[in-house]
Amino acid sequence: MSKEFDYDKVRHVTSVDQSDRKVPYNLRQSGPTKVEMLISTRVRKSPYWHLSMKAGCWRATVYNRIYHPRGYVKPEDGGAMVEYDAIVNHVTMWNVAVERQIQVKGPDAEKFVDYVITRDATKISPMRARYVILCNAYGGVLNDPILLRISEDEFWFSLSDSDIGMYLQGVNADGRFNVDINEIDVSPVQIQGPKSKALMKDLCGDQVDFDDMPFYGLASAKIGGRDVIISQSGFSGEAGYEIYLRDSTLYAEDMWNAVLDKGKAHNLMVIAPAHHRRIQAGILSWGQDLDQQHNPFQCNLGYQVSLSGKGEWKKKGDYVGKAALEKMGADLKAGKKPYKLQLVGLELGGKPIEEYAPDFWLISNEDGGDPVGFVTSPWYHPEKKQNIAMGYVPFDGTLNANGFPKGKLGTKYKIHLPDQYADNPGQPVDAVVVDIPFKESYNANTREVVKG
């Protein structure tokens, strides 16, 4: 038993109402656990793994059954906030090969994709991408990938964390759609930060017109002499691009080293995915801010349900989960509460949180009584000089101008932080519900567009 932590005293908190979940979030506050990750062959190494090690990666997690670099600057050298400075002021490259590409190709590709996503796939033009969600028959969010339409008959699902490749093959196990569904040897990196366009111009020359490239626009090019697809997109809220390298197992070094070489003039830094900056932007992390037991409405993705166009929710085609989701939408507009907890934005007190949270920290009402919710993604916002977080609290029925659920602004709570962050050890800190995002994104999310 650790001398610093008494695990005999760890208890799951039952006062948070998770009665609408089959498997509740584990709300035991067990703190950081000092164990070493086992690197073995049952988990894959991406084509960029050795390049991340060379760049100084010192820690990793597992994502899509692949080792995922999550830190380059060590705590004694300033840690994640040094990486934050790089992304908000310069330009960064991330190894995100864990975002596996599931190719759907064939005559029925559009028809199949339209059936498994909640938005209208027929409105996505070739060489365009979109943020999408896939739900199960109960309305739970299975994944929230970027969907790339490469051509009329070819799509790539650029996955967040979960086994969607196998799910998609299962949906078509009877062959009713004339498509082939396979993971392909395409591995992305993200180029994120205010100098990203300048770097991409240096990398691609006149191959791509970056000045006229729309948000989620796609382009084919060569980088380091190798074939890539480029998307103007990213997981940060900053200006940025994603480079999808074809035949990445063979050509990882060529593309990666080309970026490093051209990046020198722009103060490029290889960093981990910018957890701090994505929280500011209100970008969700699957498995952390949502999972397959969350419906889109309760995690700020209600705008994706039957989405047919900007400010329009009239998708005509059938899709997995449509009946359950449209019923939830109707219930919400009728003033009902079809679920228990709502994801909200929070500003909170305490000392600066500059590291990943090892637990879902507990939230109590303003009176500080038994917990009623929990924090999913906390971090320190340097510009606000304020801790911020996303977290789940009891849903009170508040809707935005488009009729989608949101937190009631100004509602006060208490958050039970670990002693290292608490203003006074053992005492919860004040928190208040605020709007998401906490910082404007370079490209506004569709969620933020109010129907006129």
Side-chain angles (χ1 to χ4, degrees):
M1 182 183 296
S2 169
K3 294 181 180 178
E4 300 176 2
F5 203 96
D6 186 352
Y7 291 104
D8 286 335
K9 294 182 179 179
V10 174
R11 297 288 184 271
H12 174 65
V13 175
T14 58
S15 55
V16 179
D17 189 350
Q18 299 191 68
S19 59
D20 55 352
R21 292 178 62 91
K22 298 291 187 182
V23 180
Y25 269 58
N26 182 356
L27 298 183
R28 294 175 177 86
Q29 304 296 294
S30 55
T33 308
K34 295 182 179 180
V35 298
E36 182 174 310
M37 177 180 286
L38 173 66
I39 304 294
S40 76
T41 53
R42 69 172 302 277
V43 175
R44 294 158 60 186
K45 293 178 180 175
S46 82
Y48 307 130
W49 178 250
H50 63 297
L51 298 167
S52 285
M53 296 303 105
K54 185 177 179 180
C57 174
W58 64 274
R59 67 177 173 185
T61 186
V62 174
Y63 189 109
N64 278 328
R65 302 172 188 248
I66 300 172
Y67 295 113
H68 187 21
R70 294 309 300 238
Y72 291 82
V73 180
K74 291 189 175 180
E76 57 267 30
D77 297 321
M81 296 313 290
V82 173
E83 298 183 17
Y84 176 84
D85 179 74
I87 192 173
V88 298
N89 292 308
H90 302 291
V91 62
T92 61
M93 176 165 67
W94 316 351
N95 170 1
V96 287
V98 295
E99 296 171 1
R100 300 313 301 157
Q101 307 306 301
I102 307 301
Q103 179 194 61
V104 177
K105 184 172 175 60
D108 288 343
E110 181 182 87
K111 184 178 178 183
F112 175 80
V113 170
D114 195 53
Y115 179 63
V116 296
I117 67 172
T118 64
R119 70 185 297 161
D120 192 340
T122 71
K123 303 290 181 66
I124 304 173
S125 303
M127 294 305 284
R128 289 288 187 271
R130 289 290 184 267
Y131 176 64
V132 303
I133 61 173
L134 300 89
C135 291
N136 60 28
Y138 313 109
V141 182
L142 296 175
N143 205 250
D144 64 330
I146 301 299
L147 177 67
L148 294 75
R149 187 166 195 172
I150 306 301
S151 66
E152 287 287 346
D153 69 347
E154 181 178 358
F155 293 79
W156 297 353
F157 285 91
S158 186
L159 301 184
S160 53
D161 194 16
S162 70
D163 293 318
I164 288 300
M166 288 185 280
Y167 165 77
L168 293 175
Q169 290 180 334
V171 170
N172 200 41
D174 59 1
R176 57 186 148 148
F177 296 94
N178 186 6
V179 291
D180 289 322
I181 303 167
N182 292 287
E183 180 182 335
I184 54 177
D185 188 16
V186 172
S187 299
V189 299
Q190 293 202 19
I191 307 297
Q192 301 287 304
K195 299 177 182 177
S196 58
K197 183 189 285 189
L199 172 56
M200 295 303 294
K201 286 182 174 182
D202 282 357
L203 281 167
C204 297
D206 60 4
Q207 297 180 80
V208 179
D209 183 0
F210 289 104
D211 290 327
D212 290 328
M213 186 182 216
F215 187 36
Y216 284 126
L218 303 180
S220 296
K222 287 184 182 290
I223 294 179
R226 302 306 179 187
D227 291 330
V228 301
I229 295 290
I230 297 167
S231 171
Q232 190 196 159
S233 55
F235 191 64
S236 75
E238 292 292 330
Y241 302 84
E242 295 182 80
I243 302 171
Y244 296 82
L245 175 64
R246 295 178 184 267
D247 297 315
S248 59
T249 301
L250 297 177
Y251 303 129
E253 292 88 353
D254 296 338
M255 185 276 292
W256 181 281
N257 290 330
V259 176
L260 290 183
D261 180 59
K262 294 295 186 182
K264 292 174 184 176
H266 304 280
N267 204 19
L268 174 76
M269 182 181 226
V270 178
I271 72 168
H275 184 65
H276 25 50
R277 186 62 184 91
R278 72 95 184 160
I279 294 172
Q280 292 179 345
I283 297 172
L284 306 181
S285 177
W286 197 94
Q288 183 170 352
D289 301 305
L290 73 161
D291 65 11
Q292 71 276 11
Q293 293 188 73
H294 286 117
N295 68 73
F297 298 104
Q298 70 182 128
C299 55
N300 296 338
L301 294 178
Y303 75 95
Q304 286 274 354
V305 174
S306 298
L307 179 63
S308 55
K310 193 172 182 180
E312 296 180 357
W313 296 275
K314 301 174 183 177
K315 176 176 176 176
K316 294 183 173 61
D318 190 21
Y319 61 87
V320 180
K322 183 174 184 178
L325 290 170
E326 292 194 344
K327 182 180 185 303
M328 284 183 207
D331 285 347
L332 286 162
K333 289 178 180 178
K336 298 178 182 178
K337 300 176 186 177
Y339 52 86
K340 303 294 184 181
L341 301 175
Q342 180 71 39
L343 189 72
V344 301
L346 297 158
E347 290 183 349
L348 58 143
K351 299 170 185 174
I353 300 165
E354 297 180 348
E355 191 47 275
Y356 292 86
D359 293 310
F360 295 102
W361 297 331
L362 301 171
I363 301 174
S364 295
N365 286 321
E366 187 179 8
D367 61 10
D370 290 338
V372 296
F374 54 92
V375 169
T376 60
S377 292
W379 206 276
Y380 180 66
H381 193 309
E383 292 84 4
K384 287 180 176 287
K385 301 188 184 305
Q386 172 85 60
N387 285 327
I388 59 173
M390 291 186 281
Y392 283 95
V393 298
F395 178 47
D396 70 357
T398 301
L399 304 179
N400 69 11
N402 287 333
F404 298 120
K406 63 175 291 183
K408 185 176 182 181
L409 302 185
T411 305
K412 295 180 179 180
Y413 291 98
K414 296 283 189 181
I415 297 182
H416 302 264
L417 297 179
D419 286 350
Q420 71 184 100
Y421 298 125
D423 292 320
N424 298 295
Q427 297 296 314
V429 301
D430 292 332
V432 62
V433 174
V434 298
D435 265 329
I436 298 174
F438 304 94
K439 180 178 181 177
E440 293 304 313
S441 296
Y442 182 81
N443 293 294
N445 188 295
T446 305
R447 177 189 65 231
E448 296 148 30
V449 177
V450 175
K451 185 177 180 180

